[in-house]
Amino acid sequence: MGGVESHLYELSQRLIQRGHKVIIITHAYGNRTGVRYLTNGLKVYHVPTKVIYSEATLPTIYGFFPMFRHIIIRESIQIVHGHGAFSALCHEAILHNHSLFGFADASSILTNKLLKFTLSDIDHVICVSHTSKENTVLRAALSPRHVSVIPNAVVASQFLPDPTKPDPNWITIVVISRLVYRKGVDLLIAIIPRICEMYKQVRFIIGGDGPKKIDLEQMREKHLLQDRVELLGRVKHHEVRKVLIQGNIFLNTSLTEAFCIAIVEAACAGLFVVSTKVGGVPEVLPSHMIHYASPEEDDLVIAVSKAIHTFRSGKIDPSKFNGELKEMYN
């Protein structure tokens, strides 16, 4: 389960607790089609639309509209809340944007034209950071008055730190991410051997799955790091805390992020954070919880080294981060 999925689930549960009726419409996942019911009667429609790449459905402009119309009439829906700037299943909705895109390359030009068309008839847009808002306003030629910023939330009580879990014989760096190009996995592959060579007491725990996993496995074999780089594969959302509390430092190497809920969850779990300074990431955490780096190999190595020295010095107590973030994002 990714950040958007968990955010939608938690948001739906809170709305149901307030007495609202909530349904979720998404595409089919493998054999999971039709209607499913989740906690508190949350109804999920898995519609049989074609997935073309990385769980993205084929854009058909209005091919999904007859089914969508049937569902919203059947369920007496009054508000439609669409997630993702290029959701093929939602063209007329309140758009909640988690994405950042460029302006210069051909794909960005084409998709920005599509976004401008899609957003021409909506009532309001919600972005998760001010960087995302600025990006969306420029891409879609919107009035800033029609765009609000509401950051993602985290249930801090689900990520309570446990200082007894990290192995005292190691400094453990945790990475939990989809293993795809956008998440900077190539940078991660480049810096792990260098960090392991510089610091003999450092090990890595990496959770997540994706097309770049085989590259991580090859790096581990090439540099003989089987005892210092643990690859967990796919991690279920309810198991994320169990992985996080084993670490001392959380590393995010993303090349682009509108918000990055993962670093909030990691800090809540008592980890010091190292992240690339991209997109809306600088808006997320207070400066004493995080070290930033440019999305390049040498700068990331320097930032991780600083974090290791900061941790060794004992100048900060990450276990106190949870209380601070609870007031900010709960």
Side-chain angles (χ1 to χ4, degrees):
M1 182 182 287
V4 174
E5 289 88 345
S6 58
H7 172 77
L8 275 173
Y9 175 78
E10 295 292 349
L11 176 62
S12 299
Q13 293 300 318
R14 298 304 179 273
L15 289 172
I16 290 171
Q17 288 175 8
R18 291 184 173 216
H20 301 291
K21 175 183 177 180
V22 181
I23 68 164
I24 293 177
I25 305 173
T26 185
H27 64 78
Y29 286 83
N31 295 325
R32 182 174 293 182
T33 59
V35 178
R36 301 290 180 99
Y37 287 89
L38 304 182
T39 307
N40 292 328
L42 175 61
K43 194 173 184 179
V44 182
Y45 284 85
H46 293 276
V47 297
T49 53
K50 185 174 180 57
V51 175
I52 54 174
Y53 175 74
S54 189
E55 298 301 337
T57 56
L58 180 67
T60 58
I61 305 301
Y62 291 121
F64 169 65
F65 186 74
M67 188 181 300
F68 178 66
R69 179 178 181 274
H70 174 76
I71 294 172
I72 62 173
I73 292 175
R74 176 183 180 181
E75 300 288 348
S76 301
I77 300 302
Q78 297 169 303
I79 297 175
V80 180
H81 185 187
H83 276 254
F86 298 111
S87 169
L89 301 184
C90 188
H91 290 273
E92 295 181 37
I94 296 178
L95 192 77
H96 195 154
N97 193 13
H98 298 265
S99 310
L100 294 176
F101 288 85
F103 299 90
D105 58 285
S107 63
S108 294
I109 293 171
L110 291 172
T111 50
N112 288 343
K113 290 292 185 182
L114 174 62
L115 182 68
K116 187 175 180 180
F117 166 72
T118 302
L119 299 188
S120 63
D121 193 32
I122 57 110
D123 297 303
H124 207 73
V125 176
I126 302 169
C127 293
V128 294
S129 65
H130 292 281
T131 300
S132 178
K133 174 180 177 178
E134 182 180 357
N135 183 262
T136 303
V137 166
L138 291 174
R139 285 160 52 212
L142 290 171
S143 167
R145 295 193 300 271
H146 295 154
V147 184
S148 300
V149 176
I150 304 176
N152 286 334
V154 64
V155 183
S157 60
Q158 295 181 359
F159 295 93
L160 293 174
D162 187 347
T164 66
K165 292 298 183 181
D167 189 333
N169 300 315
W170 294 94
I171 294 175
T172 303
I173 299 176
V174 175
V175 179
I176 298 182
S177 169
R178 285 182 290 118
L179 303 181
V180 296
Y181 171 78
R182 186 179 73 82
K183 293 296 185 177
V185 179
D186 293 320
L187 286 172
L188 182 63
I189 291 168
I191 69 171
I192 286 177
R194 294 179 59 178
I195 296 296
C196 288
E197 184 178 359
M198 292 168 62
Y199 302 97
K200 301 303 181 185
Q201 289 78 38
V202 169
R203 65 168 183 159
F204 287 81
I205 297 177
I206 302 173
D209 200 2
K212 290 287 184 180
K213 183 180 179 181
I214 190 170
D215 297 330
L216 279 166
E217 292 172 341
Q218 290 173 347
M219 175 274 296
R220 184 173 65 170
E221 296 290 331
K222 178 181 177 181
H223 296 278
L224 304 176
L225 295 174
Q226 291 88 342
D227 59 333
R228 298 179 64 186
V229 178
E230 182 179 359
L231 299 177
L232 302 177
R234 190 182 300 273
V235 179
K236 295 181 180 179
H237 189 260
H238 68 272
E239 296 174 343
V240 168
R241 177 184 174 270
K242 295 179 182 178
V243 178
L244 290 175
I245 59 176
Q246 297 178 50
N248 310 110
I249 296 169
F250 183 83
L251 177 59
N252 171 55
T253 57
S254 293
L255 303 179
T256 176
E257 286 284 359
F259 184 84
C260 193
I261 192 69
I263 64 175
V264 181
E265 293 174 347
C268 275
L271 280 72
F272 190 79
V273 177
V274 177
S275 176
T276 45
K277 195 174 185 179
V278 295
V281 170
E283 302 176 30
V284 176
L285 292 177
S287 58
H288 65 281
M289 299 183 184
I290 186 169
H291 282 335
Y292 296 109
S294 301
E296 55 186 40
E297 181 181 335
D298 291 339
D299 208 32
L300 270 168
V301 171
I302 293 171
V304 172
S305 298
K306 288 181 178 178
I308 291 171
H309 291 303
T310 300
F311 173 76
R312 283 176 170 173
S313 69
K315 294 179 180 178
I316 59 169
D317 183 4
S319 63
K320 296 181 179 179
F321 292 172
N322 187 279
E324 297 180 53
L325 293 172
K326 182 178 180 180
E327 299 299 322
M328 297 171 61
Y329 289 112
N330 201 13

